[in-house]
Amino acid sequence: METAVKLFFSSPKFAVAGASQNTSKFGYRVLAWYHTHGLPVTPINPTSSEISLPSEAYSTVASPSALENPSQTALSVITPPNVTRKILEEAKSVGIQAVWLQPGSFDEEDLEYAKANFKAAVGGPGGRGGEGWCVLVDGESALKAVKRDWKSQKL
């Protein structure tokens, strides 16, 4: 799974399916995490045109197919399990290479689908938290590992 995590964070762009304006929801918190870490992120929310963080407002797109460069975008999925498969199928159809399924966003079939259809699929048991791989818990160390790899390759 560590290899998938590194591949995920090697993407030049990121998107959050299930991004929310509600500050108590994980969709908001994960979007804010990408923003705080200076990563280029696009929120995906079919019912809202904009999501505002304290220091920036982000225009949303309605679905993965509306992303500017989906093949260059890693996708965090924070949707209810009954929506996740549709998001994954659309992500695959537009060329997204890496997905991160947040805890609670998928069932076992969705995880297997992601592992079979994407170059990198993060999710399920593991990570540092007790609920499985989570951007909010595991993202920091993974991002640092990718940056170390970039620096060593540039030497």
Side-chain angles (χ1 to χ4, degrees), residues 2-10 141-155:
E2 286 81 8
T3 301
V5 171
K6 283 184 178 182
L7 283 169
F8 181 89
F9 279 116
S10 295
S141 59
L143 195 54
K144 286 179 183 177
V146 169
K147 288 180 179 180
R148 274 194 308 271
D149 288 352
W150 287 338
K151 286 179 183 177
S152 69
Q153 291 172 5
K154 289 181 181 180
L155 297 176

Side-chain angles (χ1 to χ4, degrees), residues 28-84:
Y28 178 91
R29 293 164 60 186
V30 171
L31 178 66
W33 185 91
Y34 284 106
H35 171 77
T36 300
H37 288 83
L39 298 171
V41 64
T42 301
I44 298 175
N45 183 314
T47 63
S48 176
S49 62
E50 184 178 270
I51 294 177
S52 295
L53 300 178
S55 61
E56 186 169 347
Y58 286 90
S59 295
T60 67
V61 297
S63 67
S65 61
L67 290 166
E68 189 174 302
N69 290 307
S71 66
Q72 305 246 327
T73 303
L75 178 65
S76 285
V77 179
I78 311 157
T79 55
N82 64 330
V83 175
T84 296

Side-chain angles (χ1 to χ4, degrees), residues 60-138:
T60 67
V61 297
S63 67
S65 61
L67 290 166
E68 189 174 302
N69 290 307
S71 66
Q72 305 246 327
T73 303
L75 178 65
S76 285
V77 179
I78 311 157
T79 55
N82 64 330
V83 175
T84 296
R85 177 59 70 91
K86 181 179 181 231
I87 294 288
L88 291 174
E89 289 171 350
E90 186 174 339
K92 178 187 175 196
S93 76
V94 297
I96 288 175
Q97 301 291 309
V99 296
W100 189 307
L101 303 176
Q102 284 292 114
S105 70
F106 62 94
D107 60 27
E108 192 60 37
E109 288 179 11
D110 295 329
L111 182 58
E112 291 308 314
Y113 178 89
K115 288 178 179 180
N117 287 283
F118 295 94
K119 186 175 180 182
V122 182
R128 294 182 11 226
E131 295 184 23
W133 290 94
C134 175
V135 168
L136 300 173
V137 176
D138 301 301

